[in-house]
Amino acid sequence: IARAAALPAAAAAAAAAAVSVTPFATRQPVRNDSILNAGVKDETVSNWSGTHQVTPNKFYAPDNEAELEALLAEAHVGGAKLRPVGQALSPNGLSMSNKGMISVANLDRIKAIDMTAKTVTVEAGVRVSEVLKELDRFGLTLANFSSIQEQQIGGGGQGAAPGAGATLPTPEEQIGRMRLVTPS
């Protein structure tokens, strides 16, 4: 849940002028009896600038939280290594792994907007641009966000928005509550 704020006209103009980056396509895994046997094989994943790429043994993109939980639990029991990746917007190769990768790109729903509390509940894979678009319908926005609006909320909550200024809360400071999925 992130705290939303009223949208001043100047901020709306600045938000509209923000940089946008096209993310890599969401890969749909093939389903069968074992969730670890699902996943896309021989798919090359590249970061947005093309400076890093990898062809992981398996690439997973669960469609809901239950699938994510099941995948992590099965990987944990089987000792499979999975590296999380978002929109691959990082200029480094930290999210790249040739063993296994997991994306929350399909966990991209905006679940609720509470006008009274001025909060929004979202899944980790929803892009900042989509959250801003939905909040705008209610005259709200995020107090601060990265200029790269194709970043997923889950990734945006991991690091401060550079150049935001001393008086604005960083993205992670706007998180009021978070559910963390672990393998056990």
Side-chain angles (χ1 to χ4, degrees), residues 24-25 27 40-60 81-88 90-103:
F24 65 87
R27 286 125 181 116
V40 175
K41 193 165 178 60
D42 299 326
E43 179 75 32
T44 299
V45 178
S46 175
N47 70 337
W48 70 272
S49 63
T51 57
H52 296 278
Q53 66 180 26
V54 67
T55 304
N57 183 32
K58 290 285 181 111
F59 185 94
Y60 303 94
K81 304 290 185 194
L82 298 176
R83 177 75 52 107
V85 63
Q87 293 294 98
S90 177
N92 64 47
L94 187 61
S95 66
M96 305 294 168
S97 171
N98 61 0
K99 293 186 176 155
M101 295 175 66
I102 185 168
S103 169

Side-chain angles (χ1 to χ4, degrees), residues 56-149:
N57 183 32
K58 290 285 181 111
F59 185 94
Y60 303 94
D63 290 324
N64 56 57
E65 195 172 303
E67 284 185 17
L68 175 62
E69 288 174 342
L71 178 62
L72 292 178
E74 192 171 326
H76 179 69
V77 168
K81 304 290 185 194
L82 298 176
R83 177 75 52 107
V85 63
Q87 293 294 98
L89 296 173
S90 177
N92 64 47
L94 187 61
S95 66
M96 305 294 168
S97 171
N98 61 0
K99 293 186 176 155
M101 295 175 66
I102 185 168
S103 169
V104 294
N106 292 336
L107 303 174
D108 62 351
R109 293 165 216 38
I110 298 172
K111 296 178 128 188
I113 295 176
D114 183 333
M115 291 295 293
T116 304
K118 292 190 177 177
T119 60
V120 58
T121 303
V122 301
E123 293 178 331
V126 68
R127 293 185 305 253
V128 171
S129 59
E130 295 302 314
V131 174
L132 292 171
K133 188 184 323 177
E134 188 64 18
L135 287 174
D136 185 52
R137 293 182 45 226
F138 297 92
L140 300 171
T141 190
L142 298 174
N144 186 16
F145 49 87
S146 172
S147 62
I148 301 174
Q149 295 177 19

Side-chain angles (χ1 to χ4, degrees), residues 157-174:
Q158 294 180 21
T167 60
L168 293 173
T170 57
E172 67 274 12
E173 290 177 286
Q174 297 174 69

